[in-house]
Amino acid sequence: MSVFILGSYAKALVMTADRIPLAGETLIGQDFRQTWGGKGSDMAVQAARLGADVSYAGVVGDDAFGHEFVSLMQQEGVDIQGLTLSAELPTGAGLIIKDNEARNIIVVDMGANKLFTPALVDQALPQLKQSNVALAQLEIPLETALYGLRKAKDLGKTTILNPAPARNLRGIDLSAIDYLTPNESEARVAVGLAPNDARSNREIADLLLETGCKYVLMTLGDAGSAVFSHNDTQEIPPCKVDVVDSNGAGDSFNAALAVALDEGQPIAEAVLLANATAAMCCTDWETVPSYRYRADVDAFMKTMLVAEE
């Protein structure tokens, strides 16, 4: 059993300033740090820490940041036979400035992620064939994400597409997708609406289901999650925590969902595990440093059960 991730990676370079600078302005900042970024990378680490055998396919630059990523995957026990190192473009990178009120500005160059082609998915088919679940997001070319998930579906795998960063998916065939996993704003953008459109989540889910996906699994922040099919809605309760930093929570959620489905858990139980894993991520800073191991998540879920009794 394993999880196959159609991945993305970008090195994050972060600095804090008293405020967001204006155009042409130079400020003195502090607390410079380098950290791991990229939704695919986050998902791979979280899934591995939850106990899954994880295979990763994607592209990074043949540079210092790319080699750091290789080291991270090796440390986390992720199979990277499907990873390509390329000298054509540098490893993806994000420049992030945060202010003292927790606002930020971010500029991302996806770099070598743009080189991830369907042909490279074909090269990773041996790893895909050994998996139960395939998971993709949209920091790689849409064509590649959909091609990989179509290949996975043809092989009888369970498929998950996290449509983030958000983009309009109306008119695109998503029939190879078992679970489409947007948050509320991403779901609205995915059907061509404003991210704050007032229509109900059920109405938005019905529009998304027209793309051909089997389920829409929408994350609802502190309201939990909801699973929408054509004929049913399941609401999964949230896991209450004191939120420190929600960065990377969506990636954590999707990774945990993939792991639970890989284990054969029913969807309601799978989403509860995903809710709990994402909640725990929010209790610490950054992405990879905040991702918990399976024993931690299981213990947290037991305390939730005790609290409900």
Side-chain angles (χ1 to χ4, degrees):
M1 296 194 300
S2 69
V3 173
F4 181 88
I5 293 176
L6 295 144
S8 60
Y9 175 69
K11 183 73 172 182
L13 307 174
V14 189
M15 189 179 297
T16 301
D18 290 339
R19 56 182 172 78
I20 302 299
L22 302 174
E25 183 180 26
T26 298
L27 296 179
I28 299 298
Q30 62 274 343
D31 194 24
F32 174 73
R33 60 265 192 205
Q34 303 181 46
T35 187
W36 316 105
K39 300 181 71 61
S41 169
D42 289 350
M43 292 171 181
V45 170
Q46 182 65 91
R49 291 184 181 180
L50 292 175
D53 292 327
V54 181
S55 297
Y56 180 101
V59 186
V60 294
D62 189 4
D63 51 28
F65 290 162
H67 290 281
E68 285 179 1
F69 173 71
V70 169
S71 296
L72 173 66
M73 293 294 99
Q74 291 172 338
Q75 292 168 13
E76 299 292 337
V78 174
D79 180 349
I80 52 172
Q81 293 181 74
L83 177 69
T84 298
L85 273 72
S86 174
E88 184 178 341
L89 287 174
T91 299
L95 306 178
I96 305 167
I97 298 175
K98 297 187 176 185
D99 71 9
N100 292 328
E101 297 180 21
R103 296 173 300 185
N104 59 53
I105 56 171
I106 303 174
V107 179
V108 179
D109 179 356
M110 294 314 301
N113 293 292
K114 294 182 285 190
L115 303 175
F116 192 11
T117 62
L120 293 177
V121 174
D122 287 339
Q123 291 183 23
L125 282 179
Q127 289 74 49
L128 177 57
K129 289 176 180 177
Q130 294 173 8
S131 71
N132 281 340
V133 178
L135 170 60
Q137 36 60 50
L138 297 182
E139 288 179 344
I140 59 175
L142 176 63
E143 175 193 15
T144 302
L146 296 182
Y147 180 85
L149 294 174
R150 173 63 67 186
K151 283 286 186 181
K153 181 48 59 181
D154 290 345
L155 291 167
K157 314 302 183 184
T158 298
T159 56
I160 305 169
L161 176 62
N162 178 222
R167 58 174 293 171
N168 190 344
L169 297 174
R170 291 294 295 275
I172 295 175
D173 179 10
L174 300 185
S175 59
I177 312 304
D178 289 315
Y179 297 95
L180 188 70
T181 60
N183 62 27
E184 291 176 277
S185 62
E186 290 162 352
R188 284 156 174 78
V189 172
V191 294
L193 299 173
N196 60 349
D197 188 272
R199 267 165 271 203
S200 71
N201 288 333
R202 177 72 247 187
E203 290 175 286
I204 299 299
D206 285 337
L207 293 173
L208 284 171
L209 288 166
E210 291 177 4
T211 64
C213 60
K214 190 174 181 181
Y215 297 99
V216 173
L217 202 174
M218 201 179 299
T219 54
L220 310 174
D222 58 10
S225 306
V227 183
F228 301 95
S229 66
H230 284 287
N231 302 313
D232 187 41
T233 301
Q234 295 185 68
E235 296 182 355
I236 314 299
C239 302
K240 300 293 187 181
V241 295
D242 292 327
V243 175
V244 172
D245 179 20
S246 63
N247 191 21
D251 302 338
S252 178
F253 176 94
N254 279 273
L257 175 69
V259 171
L261 293 173
D262 177 45
E263 295 172 351
Q265 294 190 31
I267 187 59
E269 294 178 18
V271 176
L272 189 59
L273 175 70
N275 283 354
T277 304
M280 292 198 75
C281 153
C282 293
T283 63
D284 208 345
W285 290 99
E286 309 296 350
T287 57
V288 168
S290 73
Y291 289 160
R292 302 300 205 275
Y293 291 85
R294 185 59 172 269
D296 302 320
V297 178
D298 287 345
F300 174 58
M301 293 182 73
K302 287 180 181 177
T303 64
M304 289 168 44
L305 290 172
V306 170
E308 290 173 359
E309 292 175 355

